[in-house]
Structure formats: C-alpha cells, structure tokens
Amino acid sequence: MAEKIAFIGLGNMGLPMAGNLMKAGFDVTGFDLAPNAEAAAAAQGVKFAASAAAAVEHANVVITMLPAGKHVLSVWGELTQVARPGTLFIDSSTIDVESARKAHQLGTGMGMLTLDAPVSGGTMGAAAATLTFMVGGSAAAFAKGEAVLQKMGKRLVHCGDAGAGQAAKICNNMILGISMAGVAEAFVLGERLGLSHQALFDVASTSSGQCWALTTNCPVPGPVPASPANRDYKPGFATALMLKDLRLAQEAAISAGASSPMGAQAAALYSIFEKLGHGGEDFSAIINFFRGAEGK
C-alpha cells in the first residue's frame, strides 16, 4: 500500500517535489496558503486540502517546505497535535540549526519520527528529482523516510542526529557562496586583462581553480551552456536565497564560537547586491556587482 503523504508548502521547490511523489505512486495531499496554490497543485496532479491539519489527518508521512524556522515550528506545533503517533515528519526547508532541533523535540515529544532534510539542487533539481538530501535524525526515522526521499532526489546523506542535515546544508552553501564570489572576481579580472571567457574557463576548469561554481554554474555566458548566465541570470538559485543561507551560516558560526571571516565577507557582498535590487537573479549574477559601472 502506498504511503499517504501530506506536503505542506507548495512553492517553487515544494510543488515539483510533491509532483514527483505523485508520479512515483504515492498518495499525496498538499496545502499552501498562496492564493494560486490549489490550481498549481491540480496541474501537478496533487490533491489539495482545505487546511494543513486536514492534509495531515490520514497521512503517515508529513513533509514541510517552508520559508524560515519560525514557520516550521508553528506548523509542526499545530500538526503534531493532530497527526497519528508514529507519523514521520520531514522538514526539507532550509532553516537555522537551533529551530531544526526544536522541531525534532516537538515531534518526538508527541511520539513522531522526525527528520531535518534540507536539499541542494535548486528548482531544476526539484523538477528533475535529482536533489541531494542532507538528513539529520535517528536511524529509525531515516530508514522509514529513505524510500520517500529517494523519489525526490538522486542522493541521500544521513549526516547525523537532529539538526545535522541543516548544519551540513549551511556549511555547504557557505562554501558555494564564497567560491562563486571568487570565480566572479577572477572572470572580471580576466576581462580587464584581455582574457576571453572561454580561455579562462578552459584553464581554470582543468586546473587548481576548478570548482562547482565554475564548471556547473559559470557566471559568464558561453562556456557552460546550462548555466543561468545564458538565460540573463534567471535562477537557478536566487541571490536572496544564497543570502539567507549565508546569514544562517553566520548565525551558526557565532553560536558555535567558530571563526568565519570569508563567510562573513560573502554575506556582506550578497547583502549589498540584494539591496541593489538583484535578489531575484541567480546568485552567479554577483559578477555584475564586481563589474561596477561597466556591469549589467
């Protein structure tokens, strides 16, 4: 018998994820507060409930994809009151580690199994079911959730206990934000020195400068045809979301007493770029900030 899944949060990431679960044969009922959510869910074949509580009523797996920790805690606080004991709660939002751990405590305190399972791969990965899930929680919860998560992604990593998935996500994205800033700076320097984009890419992509920000999400058009730079920086992974993750990393660094000067600098750069009105562009568009008056 197929799992009955409640999916709360049918936005740019949640909706295609729910749709992939439907395609895999799961019985999915969704809910979202957005005005057009019901019509969007119908287009994906996802049933739509009158409320989050109604979606959860008969579910044995509940997945949330929400904007911030306060939303996760509010929704889990409500839904753990109405779900059946033993229900698996999976949060795939990207939130602060402290809130993730509190969500686990809410769930386990009510007799639920719980996982924090943030994702990497962006909207394209959500649509193609090629996401990477970084998972925190007990071995028993991971064993129950593995088959469900596999239908939305291509790689699952059980990172440890409660909150470990969120910790891995923010550390990974701090690396990404720092490396994209470095790649963008290098291409601007190359432009000023008369190097073609292709020449710099051909050298760096096969030398010690090689990284994901260069070879997959190259910030200039041409060398990597699939990169957002070839689509006028349509995300992808938006600048506003990168800034959110960099800020989460800085909050975690302060809380843990960890030194993070490069992460702090990346957060400052993306904060300025977002304030200049570029929050909806792919985070690789930061190259235009480094170009200054000669930019976009």
Side-chain angles (χ1 to χ4, degrees):
M1 184 177 178
E3 298 275 14
K4 291 184 180 294
I5 299 174
F7 207 113
I8 313 302
L10 300 174
N12 292 333
M13 292 292 292
L15 183 58
M17 291 166 68
N20 284 326
L21 291 173
M22 283 292 299
K23 293 172 188 174
F26 293 109
D27 183 352
V28 184
T29 302
F31 179 74
D32 193 289
L33 291 171
N36 64 343
E38 185 169 2
Q44 289 276 356
V46 176
K47 292 181 289 185
F48 196 83
S51 66
V56 168
E57 188 176 357
H58 300 294
N60 46 23
V61 178
V62 177
I63 302 173
T64 50
M65 179 62 91
L66 301 167
K70 63 182 181 181
H71 304 109
V72 174
L73 291 173
S74 175
V75 169
W76 279 40
E78 174 192 356
L79 299 184
T80 54
Q81 300 288 329
V82 298
R84 293 172 293 180
T87 297
L88 173 63
F89 275 72
I90 303 172
D91 180 48
S92 286
S93 318
T94 297
I95 62 174
D96 61 286
V97 176
E98 182 180 356
S99 292
R101 290 173 176 164
K102 287 180 179 178
H104 278 274
Q105 292 170 358
L106 272 174
T108 56
M110 296 297 292
M112 311 298 169
L113 292 168
T114 58
L115 295 172
D116 58 287
V119 303
S120 177
T123 54
M124 290 185 289
T130 57
L131 296 168
T132 293
F133 285 88
M134 295 148 273
V135 189
S138 69
F142 182 72
K144 183 171 181 179
E146 191 170 9
V148 173
L149 294 173
Q150 283 174 339
K151 299 303 180 182
M152 298 182 289
K154 67 176 181 180
R155 186 158 190 241
L156 315 179
V157 181
H158 189 197
C159 299
D161 292 331
Q166 295 293 351
K169 172 68 184 285
I170 61 174
C171 289
N172 177 76
N173 279 19
M174 185 173 73
I175 294 171
L176 179 58
I178 293 168
S179 60
M180 181 56 78
V183 169
E185 279 191 354
F187 269 97
V188 173
L189 176 59
E191 291 168 357
R192 302 292 170 86
L193 295 174
L195 271 177
S196 71
H197 292 160
Q198 191 65 52
L200 179 53
F201 178 85
D202 288 345
V203 171
S205 65
T206 57
S207 303
S208 54
Q210 191 278 329
C211 61
W212 189 95
L214 172 66
T215 57
T216 300
N217 218 77
C218 187
V220 296
V224 180
S227 76
N230 297 285
R231 307 187 304 276
D232 200 27
Y233 298 100
K234 179 181 178 182
F237 185 47
T239 289
L241 296 178
M242 172 52 77
L243 177 58
K244 171 190 170 183
D245 289 357
L246 288 169
R247 284 173 170 166
L248 288 174
Q250 287 307 293
E251 290 172 12
I254 292 168
S255 177
S259 177
S260 180
M262 296 295 289
Q265 182 64 29
L269 290 168
Y270 275 98
S271 178
I272 296 169
F273 191 56
E274 192 265 346
K275 286 176 182 176
L276 291 172
H278 301 284
E281 297 173 9
D282 190 78
F283 77 110
S284 60
I286 192 77
I287 191 170
N288 291 316
F289 176 71
F290 295 129
R291 284 172 173 148
E294 297 180 18
K296 189 175 176 182

